[in-house]
Amino acid sequence: MIRRQFAKTHPTRHVPTRVTWIVGAASAAVAGFLPIGEAAELTDIGILPAFVVVCAAVIVLRYRQPDLPRTFRTPWMPVMPAVGIVLKRGAGAVAVGTVGTATPPSPVRPRPRRG
């Protein structure tokens, strides 16, 4: 799924440092060249689906692998992750403009051309 060079983890921290640096540098480059509004919209559109995937994974793992060691308990399982999925999907729909609009239209009108 992911190339071995990118999947390599740090020996003591056990996190994928190489891919973290690559994604961080790419994100910084994009943020440096885009207007802040566009960068914020891209961030919203990218993070909302990630939250939906995490909420769904909590439900799936709880039922498919119930014997996994858990460091914390999810309150009101599976209601809370399901509510998270519904709310994040709704927020994502609003962010991309499929339900209503994410921002109101600009009141600024283009200037008429001279001549």
Side-chain angles (χ1 to χ4, degrees), residues 109-115:
R109 298 190 181 174
R111 293 182 182 175
R113 294 186 191 187
R114 292 185 187 182

Side-chain angles (χ1 to χ4, degrees), residues 20-100:
T20 301
W21 278 103
I22 291 170
V23 170
S27 299
V30 168
F33 291 109
L34 286 179
I36 191 68
E38 288 182 35
E41 286 179 20
L42 287 174
T43 302
D44 286 343
I45 291 170
I47 288 177
L48 288 172
F51 281 126
V52 170
V53 169
V54 168
C55 289
V58 167
I59 296 172
V60 169
L61 280 175
R62 184 66 63 174
Y63 290 110
R64 287 200 180 167
Q65 298 182 359
D67 297 330
L68 276 179
R70 315 258 187 237
T71 57
F72 66 93
R73 293 182 54 88
T74 303
W76 297 356
M77 177 63 190
V79 174
M80 190 61 70
V83 167
I85 290 172
V86 170
L87 291 178
K88 296 301 177 187
R89 290 287 295 152
V94 170
V96 297
T98 57
V99 176

